[in-house]
Amino acid sequence: MSDSEEHHFESKADAGASKTYPQQAGTIRKSGHIVIKNRPCKVVEVSTSKTGKHGHAKCHFVAIDIFNGKKLEDIVPSSHNCDVPHVNRTDYQLIDISEDGFVSLLTESGGTKDDLKLPSDEALLTQIKDGFGEGKDLIVTVMSAMGEEQICALKDIGPKN
Amino acid sequence: MQGFPGGAPDPQQLQATMLAIEQACSLIQVHMNPSEAEKVISSLHSSLMPYQACRFILETSHVPNARFQAAGAIGDAAVREWGILSDDNKRSLIAYCLNYVMEHASSPEGYVQAKVSAVAARLLKRGWVDFPDQEKSAIFFEVEHSIRGIHGPNRQFAAINFVEALVSEFSPATASAMGLPKEFHEQCEWTLEVKFMKDFYCWAQAAVFNAADSILSGNASIDEEKACSAAFRLMFQILSWSFKYNVEHANSETKIDSGLRSDAINLKKFERSLVKPGSMWSDILISSGHTTWVLNFYTTARQKYSYDPLWFDSPIAASCRQLIVQLCSLAGSVFPNDSGDAHINHLMHILSAVVLWIEPPDVIASSIRNGASESEFLDGCHALLSIASFTTSLLFDNLLKSIRHYGTINLLSALTSEAVKSFVDNQNEEETWGSDALDISLEIWNVILGDFDADKSPMSVDGAIAASNLFKIIVESHLKAAADSAFEDTDDAEYFHVSVSKRDEQLALYAQIARSAADTTIPFLAQLFSERFARLSQTNGENDPTQTLEELYWLLLITSHVLTDSGEGETLLIPEALQAGFPNVVEVAQHPVVTLSWSIINFSRQCLDPGIRARYFSPRLMEAVIWFLARWVATYLVPLDVSRGQVSRAEIDNVDKHGFQHSRKVLNSFAWENNQGELVLDFVVLISMVALTTYQGENELQTLICQKLLATVVRRKHTCTFIVQLDSWRDLTRAFASGRSLFSLSGRLQRSLAETLACAASCIKDPEASVQYLKDLMGPVAGCLVENASRSDLKSVAQKADVVFMVCCLLERLRGAARATQPRTQKVLFEMGHTVMNSLLTLLEVYKNQSAVIYMILKFVVDFVDGQAVFLDSNETSVLVNFCLRLLQIYSSHNIGKVMLSLSSSLRNELQAEKYKDLRALLRLLTNICSKDLVGFLSDSSIEGSQDIAEVIYVGLDIVTPLISLDLLKYPKLSRDYFALVSHLLEVYPEKVANLNNDAFARIIGSLEFGLCNQDSDVVERCLTAVNALASYHFKERLGGRGGLSSQLMESEGSNGTLQESISSHFLRLMLQLLLFEDFRMELAGSAADALLPLLLCEHGLYQGLVQELLEKQQNPTVKSRLAMAFHNLTNSNNLSSLLDRPNRQRFRKNLRAFLGDISGFMQIK
């Protein structure tokens, strides 16, 4: 019981390591992340039940794909591990929106990132385009997980000078 | 008809109106364009003088719905136009309605007749005060004749129906609105009760009496039966009236000696209350033998119709039984002021008739199972319950003995067993008669066993035997059900919790029965346990133990209830029934409670053996074991001084009952003897460790450990001082501080565990040891957070899921510890918080896009400030305040102007919900910081510190208010927090408000207005406090010759359009509106007075003007003069001065209360 090692963050800094991390199902809470059917999701509902009255607990997850918004469900024994995706969110300054639907972003190191496509959804698209069109200085937050990327938030930091 | 209102009718127009209404009614019925149709109908209701049209429809239309609407329209229009109708008009409308119901008495559409009756009743009430007595008598003369049956059964029925409508119209709960003051309704209620109610009852009695013969001989027509059951219903309704104007005689000693309870219970659970019509009713209800007559009538009829199983549910049988049950609840001065004999006789009479409905229970129950009606049986149970609520258990038991060779409790026991059997058999079905009957019969047990005079009249011997037998049947039925259901899956968690509380309630009632015969039931339980323990040890892995496990699960639950009370948060005592229940037991080893306790605990101990644990300690069984242990430890590990004190005091009281006292002493001290107590506590820690580490993912079980068992042990000082000295406890804390095993718990549980472990520090006697304990416990946690937050590669690893999880766990632990702040541990915990402050700011930056971490950081700071605020000196305060300021700045820089984009609406809602939670946390934080300032202010701390605080709060408010919209304020929790903060802020720093910019000011004032009209009286109170603060500040400033808040103008709706006015005039207008025209709650009068006084003083001129305006608007001269008087008294009585000192505020509070009382009669109308 008395293993007296210190708690360190175990992840190594090397990029390209696994895209997910195993975590006990019982500790995953509402609004946490989870991988279901190989898709990164956000949990919107957790309920528990038992297999037979004297069996072990199992968790029932209802979750939403963080990229395409689809609803997914899964049942896992609560002592088992689930895959939890590494979800990264990075802020960039928006430099340009190109004709072919790509954005040009300024990275922290001063370089540009030009490989991100605008969302296809009309409503989101207009929100970004309108803000940019009005000449506001915009910061976009790009969410990435399991090899996919998407703009997930937008912040106005004042008019362009 | 003479005097019928409305001009000469134009036949064509009448026809057209009727067609329109008929069409609208049929459209509504088929759901075609209902809003259009409703408009047509409501235009009839609101049109001017629609009486002729309505009459035409009532008399000619073939569409019953149209007639129904026409009747309603008459009522609405007449009440509205009452002032312009002549006396003749009014009379003729009532007469018309009454004649209509009489003439159409045989009409098949009962609801139309009922509506017309109700309209007649409503109009009669409207004119009740104006009409002279002889006019009312004339109306009632006719009604009486009809009710007595002179004009045949149809008219009889119609007349009874009318009186029913009248009684419900006059009863405050069911009265319809008339736009008249409360006083009017009260006056009507009074005259009806005192002058008419008894007559009504007599008429109904006569109606039943006249019909009885033909009903009993089987010759009654359907109409006669209908009228008769209506009469029964009316009698029932009259007895349900809440009688107010009667005189009760004082409780006499002799009455109590007779076995009647001095504390007759109102059975709220079944919506029944005592019927106290007063001595005026004695003659017709008691001395005339009325009850006996009704009982005989029912008994004869049920015999006569026993061949017909449907009869028991017929209206006449049902209404007659209802009346009988209501007669059971008669109480008070309706019985002569004797030693209670009349009342007891009355109850005995009823019981002797009712007993036929419920006896023998097994035969009746089996016939119900075969399809017979259960209503008579259930009514019988209800009657029994009413009787029990009047009697002590001894008298209750004896009531039956005069006609049977056994007591009532015996019967009750048999009846309850049938109910239990039926309930258990049909557990999975919705609402069965078994569960209804069980609910009622358990309530009866509760009433007779919960009698607080129980000492004076203990349960008789056969009563105890009956209870003991019943408990056996209960246990056996439930064990069988448990074994049968062992393989079912458990329910979904949410539903589960509801059913758990219902189940616990039921188990507690069972336990009460068990305790009343503890000397037999406890050994019985012990025997059942030992049988099952033996069965388990024999299984050896060959047979499936599941059924036995489920039986043990149920046994553990019921035994916990029998041995202990639930008493959340109270100091638990060993149940009195158990202390007194074993007078002959002197040897500890022979005390059934002792042996039962040890056998369960010894069994539980086996779970420490991994092999046995794997074989049969399922998570569910562990849950029951943990739950049992928590309750047992809280009850039986009695603080030593208490247990000694109790016994010695008792010894002085009662030297004679030596054995009796000895058995008490045994029970109070056995748990600590021979080091048993320490062993149990050690076991508690060991079992907790096992459950936390080897039952991975069993959240229910682990929650019970952290929040119930460990929390119970730590919360009690006498157990906590023992536990902190144990080696096992040291192992647990070490595992928590530096092991990895407990990181597998969910975040919330790590928080509770941290809180519990940190709490224990205050029970370590040596202060240094206590500090060291906390350092050892939380040092590694804080250290880990700091070390990792300062890593150079933080940015690249921070977003990894495992790192996020770890950070959350550490934050949860810190938060748990922060919640455990106590005077002795505050310093250490502040240091802990201090060391992580910079790291938290780093993490806030790094995780700005991880809402879960941000929320966790905010919540930690909220709890940290809450725990620490009161203790800090000025240096520490400024450290804390600077930290909070930076936290707020960073949070705001990340969040202002941020728009979340997401494809999925539910994800967007989730994000919104997260922001909402952040906001609440921020509000909490600001409020907590404020509370520091209040304390600092009282203890006269340095001025520098307090300015810092004001700044933080205003920065905070600047961040928070733009994010809070009026829509968000509709969420009660958020709005409560927000208004708590704003009112506090305005009280403490009104001068800062004066310097706010216009936008910010308008936002605050706007939200105050919103809050004043809120439903939640807490919120309104806070807003009133805020208004008071603002206005008082303004007044004082102006008194001192300064401007106060004059620079802040508000737009408001004045009598002549929008105008710009000062903030005080604005709120003055608002307050008067609120007090005079809204449904103002009296409990807020004090704060309203405090807010109104400074406003009055600031804006005296405007106030006079507004009052004048109000008075001129009043048409009615009496109202006008009363209102003027009330206003005059408000400002002139009690020597009110123009100061804002305390005495003057007190005087004004008094004045305002009187004022509100004065005007409530005529301004706030129903």
Side-chain angles (χ1 to χ4, degrees):
Chain A
M1 231 44 55
S2 55
D3 44 344
S4 55
E5 42 180 316
E6 289 286 301
H7 324 303
H8 278 286
F9 297 164
E10 290 212 320
S11 281
K12 302 290 173 287
D14 54 330
S18 79
K19 293 163 180 166
T20 61
Y21 164 75
Q23 189 182 328
Q24 193 202 93
T27 61
I28 296 177
R29 285 210 253 170
K30 186 175 178 317
S31 84
H33 290 108
I34 190 172
V35 177
I36 298 180
K37 299 206 174 77
N38 219 17
R39 296 291 307 164
C41 301
K42 186 175 180 121
V43 179
V44 289
E45 210 181 294
V46 194
S47 55
T48 56
S49 54
K50 283 194 172 113
T51 327
K53 284 189 175 169
H54 292 271
H56 292 283
K58 55 192 179 186
C59 299
H60 178 200
F61 295 106
V62 181
I64 292 175
D65 189 318
I66 52 174
F67 290 116
N68 64 25
K70 289 208 175 90
K71 190 163 139 187
L72 293 164
E73 298 189 40
D74 202 3
I75 295 183
V76 190
S78 66
S79 58
H80 288 205
N81 282 336
C82 286
D83 281 337
V84 176
H86 299 304
V87 181
N88 223 324
R89 292 191 187 78
T90 321
D91 288 353
Y92 301 98
Q93 187 159 355
L94 180 61
I95 311 175
D96 194 20
I97 299 181
S98 66
E99 299 273 309
D100 56 356
F102 280 88
V103 284
S104 180
L105 305 172
L106 182 65
T107 65
E108 232 174 34
S109 56
T112 59
K113 174 179 167 65
D114 302 303
D115 59 346
L116 191 66
K117 225 175 166 222
L118 277 171
S120 50
D121 183 77
E122 274 304 317
L124 302 189
L125 196 60
T126 30
Q127 272 183 292
I128 300 175
K129 278 192 168 166
D130 286 359
F132 189 71
E134 285 163 27
K136 285 177 185 159
D137 230 354
L138 292 182
I139 297 280
V140 296
T141 306
V142 175
M143 170 173 69
S144 62
M146 300 175 74
E148 270 183 74
E149 285 186 318
Q150 199 175 68
I151 296 178
C152 72
L154 192 63
K155 194 161 148 308
D156 174 4
I157 52 169
K160 236 178 215 167
N161 293 320
Chain B
M1 185 183 287
Q2 228 185 4
F4 199 81
D10 164 10
Q12 268 182 338
Q13 207 181 343
L14 291 180
Q15 191 72 27
T17 313
M18 181 172 86
L19 280 178
I21 297 293
E22 283 180 347
Q23 204 188 359
C25 287
S26 38
L27 279 182
I28 283 187
Q29 259 181 337
V30 293
H31 254 283
M32 292 245 301
N33 203 358
S35 59
E36 211 37 50
E38 270 164 25
K39 225 180 264 171
V40 173
I41 292 172
S42 75
S43 76
L44 178 70
H45 282 252
S46 54
S47 62
L48 195 67
M49 293 279 178
Y51 311 106
Q52 292 290 1
C54 292
R55 183 178 174 182
F56 184 73
I57 295 173
L58 274 172
E59 285 166 8
T60 37
S61 176
H62 295 294
V63 180
N65 270 344
R67 299 204 295 271
F68 180 87
Q69 293 297 348
I74 293 184
D76 287 349
V79 166
R80 188 181 62 239
E81 297 175 337
W82 197 255
I84 53 174
L85 293 175
S86 70
D87 284 356
D88 263 358
N89 289 161
K90 297 170 187 169
R91 262 194 302 273
S92 89
L93 276 175
I94 295 171
Y96 174 75
C97 289
L98 273 176
N99 278 337
Y100 183 88
V101 285
M102 292 299 170
E103 276 162 23
H104 297 78
S106 55
S107 139
E109 281 91 20
Y111 69 99
V112 178
Q113 307 309 109
K115 181 72 187 179
V116 181
S117 280
V119 170
R122 187 171 175 205
L123 297 185
L124 183 58
K125 178 174 172 187
R126 180 61 185 82
W128 192 253
V129 179
D130 312 331
F131 291 151
D133 276 349
Q134 68 261 32
E135 224 161 278
K136 285 181 242 172
S137 315
I139 292 174
F140 283 124
F141 183 75
E142 278 303 312
V143 172
E144 181 186 353
H145 272 251
S146 301
I147 291 183
R148 287 183 184 274
I150 291 165
H151 306 301
N154 282 330
R155 286 188 166 223
Q156 189 178 23
F157 178 76
I160 293 173
N161 227 323
F162 167 70
V163 177
E164 261 188 284
L166 195 70
V167 172
S168 87
E169 182 65 60
F170 277 65
S171 167
T174 44
S176 53
M178 290 188 176
L180 288 176
K182 225 160 48 180
E183 290 165 350
F184 171 83
H185 295 270
E186 277 166 10
Q187 200 182 350
C188 292
E189 198 188 334
W190 177 73
T191 37
L192 195 78
E193 178 181 326
V194 174
K195 293 191 185 160
F196 293 93
M197 210 57 119
K198 204 171 135 186
D199 289 342
F200 294 165
Y201 196 86
C202 292
W203 303 343
Q205 235 178 347
V208 173
F209 197 72
N210 295 338
D213 278 346
S214 53
I215 287 175
L216 291 180
S217 60
N219 300 328
S221 65
I222 293 175
D223 291 334
E224 273 175 283
E225 283 198 12
K226 195 172 145 199
C228 182
S229 65
F232 275 127
R233 227 174 34 232
L234 175 60
M235 287 151 88
F236 167 73
Q237 192 197 11
I238 292 174
L239 287 187
S240 309
W241 177 271
S242 61
F243 292 92
K244 289 178 187 157
Y245 306 99
N246 55 348
V247 186
E248 287 302 325
H249 28 68
N251 255 331
S252 58
E253 271 301 308
T254 48
K255 208 165 169 182
I256 293 163
D257 290 341
S258 70
L260 286 176
R261 281 187 188 208
S262 45
D263 63 328
I265 306 161
N266 271 330
L267 301 165
K268 287 248 171 57
K269 193 169 167 191
F270 293 95
E271 288 178 355
R272 231 152 345 122
S273 49
L274 302 179
V275 181
K276 290 179 158 180
S279 52
M280 291 231 311
W281 288 67
S282 187
D283 50 348
I284 62 161
L285 288 178
I286 306 301
S287 49
S288 64
H290 167 64
T291 309
T292 319
W293 188 88
V294 175
L295 292 170
N296 286 342
F297 172 80
Y298 185 81
T299 309
T300 324
R302 80 188 283 277
Q303 212 162 15
K304 161 110 190 135
Y305 292 97
S306 57
Y307 63 87
D308 178 7
L310 291 180
W311 181 81
F312 293 95
D313 281 323
S314 68
I316 194 161
S319 56
C320 183
R321 279 198 309 267
Q322 226 183 354
L323 175 65
I324 292 174
V325 173
Q326 193 68 5
L327 283 168
C328 280
S329 302
L330 273 183
S333 55
V334 66
F335 294 107
N337 195 7
D338 57 10
S339 53
D341 293 344
H343 195 173
I344 294 172
N345 260 328
H346 173 78
L347 294 177
M348 211 146 82
H349 259 115
I350 295 180
L351 181 65
S352 59
V354 165
V355 80
L356 301 174
W357 311 353
I358 48 180
E359 200 188 39
D362 49 340
V363 176
I364 295 178
S366 81
S367 74
I368 295 176
R369 269 178 224 125
N370 293 327
S373 158
E374 74 268 17
S375 45
E376 192 186 52
F377 185 71
L378 289 178
D379 281 337
C381 294
H382 276 296
L384 215 52
L385 175 57
S386 288
I387 293 172
S389 69
F390 285 112
T391 53
T392 60
S393 63
L394 192 65
L395 175 62
F396 179 76
D397 196 28
N398 284 337
L399 281 179
L400 196 64
K401 283 191 175 151
S402 55
I403 47 171
R404 296 279 189 280
H405 59 274
Y406 45 80
T408 324
I409 291 183
N410 238 313
L411 172 61
L412 175 63
S413 158
L415 189 149
T416 316
S417 352
E418 289 308 319
V420 171
K421 285 181 201 157
S422 159
F423 166 75
V424 169
D425 285 345
N426 304 304
Q427 227 165 5
N428 296 326
E429 285 159 39
E430 299 272 304
E431 293 301 305
T432 56
W433 70 273
S435 87
D436 290 345
L438 184 60
D439 275 353
I440 306 167
S441 48
L442 286 180
E443 186 62 25
I444 303 177
W445 283 102
N446 185 29
V447 166
I448 54 177
L449 295 174
D451 179 7
F452 85 108
D453 291 331
D455 288 350
K456 289 182 206 158
S457 60
M459 186 94 108
S460 63
V461 178
D462 24 321
I465 293 172
S468 159
N469 288 337
L470 170 61
F471 184 69
K472 275 185 189 156
I473 289 172
I474 290 173
V475 172
E476 277 157 8
S477 320
H478 275 276
L479 281 182
K480 188 171 168 299
D484 290 347
S485 70
F487 296 102
E488 290 168 11
D489 283 5
T490 53
D491 310 272
D492 188 21
E494 248 173 81
Y495 171 71
F496 185 66
H497 284 292
V498 179
S499 60
V500 162
S501 74
K502 163 95 177 141
R503 182 192 67 190
D504 273 349
E505 201 183 314
Q506 197 178 51
L507 288 176
L509 291 169
Y510 287 161
Q512 217 173 9
I513 296 170
R515 284 181 196 168
S516 69
D519 55 336
T520 53
T521 54
I522 303 246
F524 173 64
L525 283 173
Q527 179 209 334
L528 292 174
F529 268 111
S530 67
E531 281 168 22
R532 271 142 198 94
F533 295 157
R535 214 185 292 160
L536 270 190
S537 59
Q538 283 158 13
T539 52
N540 289 329
E542 282 159 28
N543 303 325
D544 184 350
T546 308
Q547 290 195 322
T548 315
L549 294 183
E550 185 58 17
E551 287 178 353
L552 273 176
Y553 176 80
W554 193 84
L555 276 176
L556 279 169
L557 294 191
I558 185 68
T559 308
S560 309
H561 277 286
V562 175
L563 293 186
T564 61
D565 289 326
S566 64
E568 285 295 325
E570 292 168 32
T571 307
L572 291 176
L573 298 176
I574 298 173
E576 175 59 27
L578 297 184
Q579 296 203 42
F582 301 92
N584 303 321
V585 180
V586 286
E587 280 296 312
V588 181
Q590 281 157 11
H591 199 300
V593 174
V594 177
T595 46
L596 178 59
S597 300
W598 291 140
S599 89
I600 294 176
I601 290 171
N602 286 333
F603 165 74
S604 318
R605 246 183 242 285
Q606 298 181 50
C607 78
L608 299 179
D609 175 326
I612 297 180
R613 181 166 68 232
R615 224 175 302 144
Y616 48 73
F617 278 91
S618 71
R620 184 172 163 92
L621 184 63
M622 279 296 268
E623 281 167 34
V625 167
I626 299 295
W627 194 70
F628 171 83
L629 269 180
R631 285 176 67 137
W632 190 88
V633 166
T635 309
Y636 287 91
L637 288 183
V638 184
L640 283 179
D641 49 334
V642 171
S643 73
R644 279 190 210 112
Q646 209 172 36
V647 174
S648 59
R649 211 180 326 125
E651 268 167 1
I652 299 163
D653 285 346
N654 261 323
V655 193
D656 323 336
K657 299 182 182 172
H658 182 72
F660 180 68
Q661 287 314 325
H662 191 73
S663 114
R664 268 174 195 271
K665 192 171 162 185
V666 163
L667 210 51
N668 273 289
S669 57
F670 79 93
W672 288 109
E673 265 165 31
N674 305 325
N675 276 342
Q676 291 284 11
E678 288 87 332
L679 285 175
V680 171
L681 288 176
D682 189 43
F683 172 54
V684 162
V685 182
L686 292 175
I687 197 177
S688 301
M689 196 64 190
V690 163
L692 291 178
T693 51
T694 61
Y695 287 78
Q696 297 279 319
E698 297 293 341
N699 281 335
E700 289 280 339
L701 171 63
Q702 291 169 341
T703 309
L704 276 175
I705 296 277
C706 296
Q707 295 177 358
K708 181 103 187 164
L709 182 58
L710 290 179
T712 306
V713 177
V714 167
R715 207 185 303 131
R716 281 156 224 277
K717 209 166 173 213
H718 64 279
T719 48
C720 189
T721 41
F722 273 111
I723 214 161
V724 289
Q725 296 167 17
L726 296 170
D727 286 342
S728 50
W729 184 259
R730 234 161 282 151
D731 289 342
L732 176 63
T733 50
R734 207 173 298 142
F736 175 82
S738 41
R740 298 203 60 84
S741 49
L742 293 175
F743 276 105
S744 66
L745 296 178
S746 81
R748 201 180 318 124
L749 291 177
Q750 296 195 38
R751 188 205 313 158
S752 338
L753 191 58
E755 183 176 354
T756 308
L757 294 177
C759 256
S762 44
C763 289
I764 299 176
K765 286 201 185 85
D766 173 28
E768 272 173 41
S770 170
V771 166
Q772 194 54 46
Y773 169 86
L774 264 185
K775 278 187 177 160
D776 291 346
L777 185 72
M778 295 312 298
V781 176
C784 181
L785 195 78
V786 173
E787 192 186 319
N788 287 301
S790 50
R791 272 168 72 149
S792 52
D793 58 349
L794 178 65
K795 269 222 150 136
S796 53
V797 297
Q799 309 296 330
K800 302 266 174 199
D802 48 342
V803 177
V804 174
F805 178 65
M806 178 64 89
V807 169
C808 287
C809 288
L810 294 173
L811 286 169
E812 287 279 24
R813 289 174 170 211
L814 289 173
R815 185 177 163 209
R819 289 159 70 103
T821 309
Q822 280 165 357
R824 285 188 66 179
T825 57
Q826 169 265 328
K827 275 266 180 281
V828 198
L829 289 175
F830 182 77
E831 273 165 36
M832 172 196 87
H834 193 183
T835 53
V836 297
M837 278 177 185
N838 281 324
S839 312
L840 290 180
L841 296 176
T842 315
L843 294 176
L844 198 65
E845 186 69 52
V846 172
Y847 287 108
K848 63 182 171 188
N849 290 318
Q850 289 281 4
S851 56
V853 183
I854 300 296
Y855 182 65
M856 222 69 94
I857 295 175
L858 293 180
K859 287 302 269 187
F860 164 69
V861 179
V862 168
D863 282 334
F864 184 67
V865 172
D866 184 36
Q868 294 287 337
V870 287
F871 300 112
L872 300 182
D873 63 28
S874 60
N875 267 339
E876 291 167 330
T877 310
S878 89
V879 169
L880 185 64
V881 159
N882 283 330
F883 166 67
C884 292
L885 198 57
R886 285 173 58 205
L887 185 89
L888 288 169
Q889 280 159 349
I890 295 175
Y891 184 87
S892 104
S893 74
H894 291 158
N895 286 286
I896 283 188
K898 191 162 183 175
V899 182
M900 304 308 267
L901 302 175
S902 174
L903 268 178
S904 137
S905 62
S906 58
L907 277 186
R908 245 189 339 263
N909 288 343
E910 287 284 305
L911 294 169
Q912 290 260 294
E914 279 159 14
K915 286 278 155 277
Y916 159 79
K917 279 161 77 185
D918 281 357
L919 279 182
R920 276 197 63 210
L922 289 173
L923 285 174
R924 262 285 143 75
L925 175 60
L926 294 174
T927 314
N928 288 346
I929 298 174
C930 270
S931 73
K932 165 62 196 166
D933 194 40
L934 197 62
V935 173
F937 170 71
L938 290 176
S939 63
D940 200 27
S941 75
S942 70
I943 296 164
E944 195 191 346
S946 63
Q947 263 179 345
D948 272 347
I949 286 173
E951 195 186 327
V952 180
I953 293 164
Y954 274 97
V955 171
L957 210 62
D958 247 10
I959 298 167
V960 175
T961 39
L963 299 171
I964 294 182
S965 61
L966 288 187
D967 264 349
L968 271 176
L969 283 181
K970 284 177 188 147
Y971 293 96
K973 283 179 173 171
L974 185 71
S975 87
R976 234 176 258 182
D977 287 347
Y978 174 78
F979 287 111
L981 178 65
V982 168
S983 75
H984 181 82
L985 208 60
L986 293 184
E987 265 186 298
V988 187
Y989 315 108
E991 71 283 356
K992 298 254 171 188
V993 176
N995 303 328
L996 283 176
N997 67 34
N998 264 340
D999 274 356
F1001 186 75
R1003 263 201 299 270
I1004 290 184
I1005 300 302
S1007 62
L1008 279 184
E1009 270 173 48
F1010 175 84
L1012 280 175
C1013 308
N1014 204 295
Q1015 285 301 311
D1016 187 339
S1017 60
D1018 245 18
V1019 168
V1020 181
E1021 176 136 28
R1022 294 202 193 286
C1023 290
L1024 289 171
T1025 317
V1027 173
N1028 171 23
L1030 268 183
S1032 308
Y1033 168 73
H1034 185 53
F1035 177 71
K1036 281 174 193 155
E1037 287 295 290
R1038 290 218 323 211
L1039 216 59
R1042 292 175 293 272
L1045 297 169
S1046 309
S1047 58
Q1048 305 280 14
L1049 293 179
M1050 274 310 286
E1051 296 215 333
S1052 82
E1053 300 282 330
S1055 48
N1056 33 9
T1058 316
L1059 55 97
Q1060 291 260 319
E1061 60 178 357
S1062 76
I1063 192 69
S1064 43
S1065 342
H1066 178 73
F1067 276 115
L1068 180 61
R1069 241 177 247 283
L1070 209 65
M1071 287 292 299
L1072 284 181
Q1073 170 74 22
L1074 197 66
L1075 291 172
L1076 289 168
F1077 300 107
E1078 313 280 319
D1079 190 12
F1080 192 76
R1081 279 155 289 188
M1082 259 327 221
E1083 77 255 27
L1084 294 171
S1087 356
D1090 288 350
L1092 189 58
L1093 182 63
L1095 291 173
L1096 281 185
L1097 298 177
C1098 287
E1099 302 290 337
H1100 201 68
L1102 176 70
Y1103 169 71
Q1104 297 292 2
L1106 284 174
V1107 169
Q1108 210 50 46
E1109 201 178 304
L1110 266 171
L1111 289 176
E1112 274 158 22
K1113 264 194 225 156
Q1114 286 304 326
Q1115 309 283 342
N1116 184 329
T1118 30
V1119 170
K1120 193 172 185 167
S1121 70
R1122 281 179 68 175
L1123 193 59
M1125 194 62 191
F1127 271 120
H1128 177 83
N1129 288 341
L1130 177 63
T1131 44
N1132 295 305
S1133 57
N1134 275 334
N1135 300 321
L1136 202 69
S1137 65
S1138 54
L1139 287 173
L1140 272 183
D1141 54 359
R1142 219 180 97 78
N1144 204 40
R1145 278 188 187 274
Q1146 290 297 341
R1147 283 196 286 272
F1148 191 69
R1149 275 177 174 227
K1150 250 187 226 159
N1151 286 358
L1152 187 75
R1153 282 221 175 80
F1155 174 78
L1156 286 175
D1158 266 358
I1159 62 159
S1160 71
F1162 56 92
M1163 290 301 287
Q1164 293 153 10
I1165 50 184
K1166 184 189 174 186

